[in-house]
Structures are given as C-alpha cells and as structure tokens.
Amino acid sequence: MNTHGKNIIGNNLSAMGTSSFNAYDVASNSLLPTKFYEATTTEINAAISLAAEAFGEYKNKTGKEKAAFLECIATEIEALEMELIETASKETGLPLARITGERGRTTGQLRLFASQLTEGSWVNAIIDNALPERKPLPRVDLRQMQIAIGPVAVFGASNFPLAFSVAGGDTVSALAAGCTVVFKAHPAHPATCELVGAAIIRAAKKCNMPEGVFSMVHGISHQVGHALVTHPLIKAVGFTGSLKGGKALYDAAVKRESPIPVYAEMSSVNPVVFLPEILTQKAGDLAEAFAGSIVMGGGQFCTNPGIFLLLKNESSTNFIQLLTAALTAKPSVALLTNGITDAYYQGITHQRNTEGAIGLTAFDANTPQPHLLQIDAQMLISNPSLTEEVFGPSSVAIIAKDMDELIECILHLKGQLTASLHGTADELKNAGVLVDLLQEKAGRLCINAFPTGVEVGNAMVHGGPYPATSDSRTTSVGTQAIYRFTRPFCYQEFPDHLLPDALKESNPLQISRLVNGIRL
Ligand code: NAP
C-alpha cells in the first residue's frame, strides 16, 4: 500500500481536499516532492465514524488477538527496513543510528504491550462475591474490571518520528486498551507517518481486525486537530508536543458538550540539583556527562535538562567552567524544523537579554549551537519566564547563595517530567527535604543520574504535574500508560456466562485478581 500523500480512512486512501503541503529535507533545506493532502471535514468524519463502528468489534477481541495484532505491527515496521530509517532521517535531520535505535524502542514497546495483554492481569479484576446471609443487609455480587474508553484521537511530536508518533506510545497504549485510533500525522515527518500508517493497516488486515481500527489524517492547519478532539464520537485524546498545542487542544476538549479526558504530554525543563561535595569530588566527570545529556538528540528531548541549580562556591564555579568548555567543544546541529530553530534563537535571545543574565557560551543567531546561561537565584524567583522550555541544546545555571535560597527556587518551579539530584553518599543522607520538594514537582526523580534516556518498562513514569502534562495521574511511557484509555466498569449480579472471561468464577484466564479483598 503506497499512500502517496493521501489520508488513510479505514482501509481506503483518500485525497478529497485542495490544501496540500510537502515534507521537508532538513539536510538540504529543501522541499521533498510528495504532496500531502490535508484531510477535509468529510474525511475526518468518515475516519471517526469507522473508528466508532470498529470499536464495537475491536474492544471484544481477546487479549491474545490484540497482542498478535501489536506484534504484527512491530513485524511490519521492521519489514520496512532502510526505507523507513532513511525517510525518517531525511525528514527530521536525525542521524540514521538514532532513528534505528528509535525503531527498536518502538517495536520493543509494541511487543511489551503485547506481553502485557497476553498475561492479562492488567485489567485489574476485582470480585466481591455475594453474601446473601450478611446482616443487616445481604451483599450483592459485584465485579469490576477496566474496559476500553472508546475511539481515541492521537497526536505525535516532531522530535520522536517513530516512538512518539504513528505507532508510538499513545497509539500502542490505546490499541492495547481495546480502543480504536484516529492519528493526526505530524507535518514535520508525513512520509515517515504514511509508511508506518500503511504498516498498521497491513497488520490489521492480516490479523482480521475490523476496518477503522486505525486511520490516519494529514493536516498542516490546526483545524484538523480541532475537528478530531471536538468530534462527539472521540472519547479521549493522547497528545505529545508543545505546551501551546497541548493546551489549545485540551481547552477545546473540555469545552465540548461532553468533555473528554486529554492526556497531553508537553513541556518540561527537568531541573538538576548539584550538591557541593559531589562537585568537589567529580567535577570533570559530571561536566562531561551533563554536557552529553544537554546535547543528546540535539537537545530536542522532552527530558532535556534545561535548568540546573547549585550553591555559590568554588566547586560550582569550577564545574561551570568545565561544563562551558565541554559544551563549547560540542558541534552545532540542524534542529528538526525551521519553526523549532526560530523558537530556539528567540528563546536564547530572550534569556541573554534578561538583565543580569550571563551568556557563558558563544551565541550566533544563524547556527544552533549548544548554549549555557548563568543567572542568580533571585532572577529565577522574580522572572519565571527564565524557567520556560527553550527546545534545543541549552541549559541555565541557577546560582543560589545558600540552601534556603536553592529551596526557594525549587518552590518556584512549575511541574516537570523529571528532576535529578546529585550528591555524595553523605550529602544524600541529609537530602530528605530536597527529595520531598522535588517529588512534589516531578513525575520521576533521578539520583546521581541524568534524565535523558527514558526506559520503556512497567515501572516507568513519564508524566508529572502541569505543564509537564495535563494530567499528573498517569504516564505516557511504559505499560501503565494503558490506563489512560480505560475506565472502571462494575458488573452487578451477572450470571457467569454473561461475564467477561477475566471475571468468570473459574478464572479461565488464570490472571491475578482481588477476590473478597484477597489478592489471588
Ligand atoms: P507541536 O508543534 O505541538 O506539534 C504536535 C502536534 O500537535 C502536531 O500534529 C501539530 O500539528 C499539532 N498541534 C500543535 N498545535 C496545535 C493547535 N493549536 N491546534 C491543533 N493542533 C495543534 O509539538 P512539536 O514541535 O512537534 O514537538 C516538540 C515539543 O514536544 C517540545 O516542546 C517537547 O518538549 C515536546 N515533547 C514532549 C514529550 C513528552 O512526553 N512530554 C515528548 C516529546 C516531545 P501542526 O504542526 O499542524 O500544528
């Protein structure tokens, strides 16, 4: 199936619109030939209607059938071989090796969710058997489990063309939950999107999934995204991208006649706190490792450490000098899009123009070089804009005169995906207050480690208080992401044959369940 810039509406291709755009070759700074057709309202409505029809059948597929579908998607993605790697690299400017690694993460993620479905206990089955003899009132038979929420609209980000895109974490967790998906292709990597979208359709056909289990629409204007989240048949939204985009879509969704949950994973500056003694002992190693974390992926990671806090003393002065040298030695990189490049220059210019801020590395508004800025703690406290994400390879050193001032800075921070704390074993023994405060601010706290590099597993939390996400109760990475697209449902006084297998008395799926308050 070569989609040639068309929208994937169920099992059909469609290009009814007149608005079109081209993909971009980042390295040669030129347009690529294929035209992509923005979806019309008719096409968007058709994709959503199919998703709603397919939901009735798809949600009732067994865990093993859905697992086979996810595994088949992974196999189809691998079968795209170098065509996928080269296309994604061309559209994003990210090196082939990085895209190859991201493909492994994406297929690994699909297989991880497949194993979660095959095992089956994720549905959180809870059984309270009837107690007819209970006094003063008998208890009825009640059984609960998680069920799929409905058709989901998914938006991917430009910086992860595979792992946070068409078959990325949001799509796979929604499909695993039993939801059908309408995906909004990212205009920064539309050809990559269409290769993966077609792979999902091939897998759906091979696994006998209903038409409409997955559709994908293109769009360069915001109307496409708004039409998706405001459509009455869409029951939840998964979004990864900018704060501006996520907030706009969240606001649109909550204003609907029937509001729906929006899981928007947005911006974060991932503060890193360095305690003094560790800087005395390991300044060189830490400066090298921290510089590597700042520039990883061109700094275009949601977990990029955009600010760090230290106490004013000799060890921090030495560390900052070493870090400045390490960052200066790093090459500049082409950022993902012209929009991101312009935003990077504007962000750095704003930081450097702030009275009292010291630019430690060179700045050239034509080359996206790694950048380091230094400010005093009081500047952060009085000017919160200095803690906003500047997407790219930059970080801001915040110098506090003492621990009270450093703590005051932490209190002024907004919600974050991650926070990190570096200290010696002795320093960490007395770090309870810092740990408590950082925990209030973030979804993940790293001790003597940097936040970049997000493991896809069962225990990962990739989430956090606003504006890191629109809902701090969840994660967008790892198997727990499935619960964003489910809701609890209670079966009262059901005869056994009408119950789903997960709740039948004989436990035919052999899953772990909470029966009358006891975990079995
Ligand atoms: P983006 O510009 O917000 O784009 C994401 C998607 O949302 C695109 O499809 C975009 O379509 C759409 N969109 C954006 N604004 C919209 C609006 N007002 N109305 C309707 N649709 C809208 O984000 P990006 O530049 O691709 O990604 C970079 C950002 O993502 C960074 O801030 C990064 O930190 C964040 N990110 C976060 C995570 C996380 O897990 N928290 C992971 C990766 C990236 P159009 O392009 O057509 O506008």
Side-chain angles (χ1 to χ4, degrees), residues 155-160 164 184-187 219-222 225-226 239-246 248-249 265-268 301-302 340 389 391 417 462 468 476:
F155 298 74
S158 58
N159 59 336
F160 280 94
F164 281 93
K184 154 73 171 56
H186 200 296
I220 190 80
S221 80
H222 291 160
H226 281 262
F239 172 95
T240 308
S242 63
L243 175 58
K244 209 168 144 202
L249 293 172
E265 317 300 328
M266 304 175 287
S267 81
S268 178
F301 281 162
C302 40
I340 286 175
E389 182 187 45
F391 195 56
L417 290 172
H462 192 63
S476 67

Side-chain angles (χ1 to χ4, degrees), residues 457-461 477-480:
N458 296 314
M460 176 50 69
V461 174
V477 174
T479 51
Q480 303 309 294

Side-chain angles (χ1 to χ4, degrees), residues 337-473:
T337 64
N338 288 338
I340 286 175
T341 310
D342 290 346
Y344 185 67
Y345 294 145
Q346 280 164 21
I348 301 290
T349 303
H350 167 72
Q351 289 183 342
R352 289 176 76 102
N353 287 344
T354 305
E355 203 183 331
I358 306 165
L360 296 173
T361 50
F363 174 57
D364 165 5
N366 292 308
T367 321
Q369 292 161 305
H371 190 261
L372 193 60
L373 189 89
Q374 182 176 318
I375 62 171
D376 286 340
Q378 287 307 317
M379 290 173 68
L380 175 141
I381 292 162
S382 60
N383 188 350
S385 74
L386 290 169
T387 62
E388 280 166 17
E389 182 187 45
V390 175
F391 195 56
S394 75
S395 199
V396 180
I398 295 145
I399 312 291
K401 64 177 189 302
D402 54 27
M403 191 48 85
D404 286 348
E405 200 177 51
L406 192 145
I407 285 173
E408 203 185 342
C409 285
I410 295 174
L411 290 171
H412 273 78
L413 293 177
K414 294 178 185 163
Q416 307 290 337
L417 290 172
T418 74
S420 307
L421 176 62
H422 287 258
T424 61
D426 276 347
E427 283 177 318
L428 294 176
K429 272 186 203 152
N430 302 313
V433 172
L434 283 177
V435 167
D436 268 0
L437 290 174
L438 292 169
Q439 193 175 40
E440 289 294 310
K441 297 288 176 181
R444 173 165 61 106
L445 178 55
C446 312
I447 301 288
N448 286 333
F450 293 109
T452 36
V454 181
E455 180 68 30
V456 183
N458 296 314
M460 176 50 69
V461 174
H462 192 63
Y466 183 87
T469 77
S470 57
D471 192 331
S472 65
R473 293 168 298 176

Side-chain angles (χ1 to χ4, degrees), residues 68-337:
F69 176 37
L70 299 186
E71 276 171 11
C72 190
I73 295 173
T75 306
E76 289 292 332
I77 289 173
E78 283 159 353
L80 292 166
E81 296 187 342
M82 285 312 286
E83 186 186 7
L84 178 65
I85 306 290
E86 282 162 7
T87 304
S89 178
K90 195 176 268 212
E91 287 188 317
T92 60
L94 296 170
L96 294 173
R98 149 75 201 272
I99 299 288
T100 306
E102 198 180 317
R103 180 185 58 182
R105 177 186 165 145
T106 308
T107 52
Q109 187 165 252
L110 281 154
R111 292 187 173 113
L112 179 69
F113 277 93
S115 63
Q116 182 188 30
L117 295 182
T118 306
E119 194 281 327
S121 303
W122 73 273
V123 296
N124 283 345
I126 304 174
I127 297 175
D128 287 341
N129 287 114
L131 296 175
E133 309 304 328
R134 190 181 69 173
K135 299 282 183 246
L137 289 172
R139 183 170 86 181
V140 292
D141 186 283
L142 295 173
R143 295 170 191 236
Q144 185 200 114
M145 65 179 267
Q146 296 291 318
I147 61 165
I149 200 166
V152 177
V154 175
F155 298 74
S158 58
N159 59 336
F160 280 94
L162 300 176
F164 281 93
S165 192
V166 184
D170 287 337
T171 299
V172 62
S173 50
L175 289 176
C179 299
T180 51
V181 169
V182 181
F183 186 82
K184 154 73 171 56
H186 200 296
H189 53 266
T192 307
C193 287
E194 74 171 14
L195 283 171
V196 179
I200 296 179
I201 297 298
R202 278 194 297 276
K205 286 180 179 167
K206 281 184 184 170
C207 298
N208 293 319
M209 292 298 158
E211 178 177 10
V213 66
F214 176 84
S215 289
M216 187 179 84
V217 291
H218 289 286
I220 190 80
S221 80
H222 291 160
Q223 274 119 303
V224 174
H226 281 262
L228 285 173
V229 303
T230 53
H231 195 291
L233 293 176
I234 289 291
K235 298 299 180 201
V237 176
F239 172 95
T240 308
S242 63
L243 175 58
K244 209 168 144 202
K247 185 69 169 55
L249 293 172
Y250 178 88
D251 289 345
V254 294
K255 280 190 201 138
R256 291 165 43 127
E257 197 181 325
S258 49
I260 52 172
V262 177
Y263 298 103
E265 317 300 328
M266 304 175 287
S267 81
S268 178
V269 289
N270 306 296
V272 179
V273 176
F274 291 100
L275 295 173
E277 186 52 32
I278 193 116
L279 290 183
T280 306
Q281 292 182 12
K282 292 188 170 176
D285 290 348
L286 280 175
E288 272 307 320
F290 191 40
S293 182
I294 292 169
V295 302
M296 191 183 282
Q300 301 163 110
F301 281 162
C302 40
T303 49
N304 181 257
I307 64 170
F308 58 108
L309 300 103
L310 345 84
L311 297 180
K312 188 173 190 162
N313 57 30
E314 264 177 42
S315 68
S316 60
T317 306
N318 176 44
F319 171 70
I320 288 174
Q321 277 168 0
L322 292 168
L323 181 63
T324 306
L327 278 179
T328 305
K330 302 276 181 203
S332 62
V333 286
L335 299 181
L336 289 158
T337 64

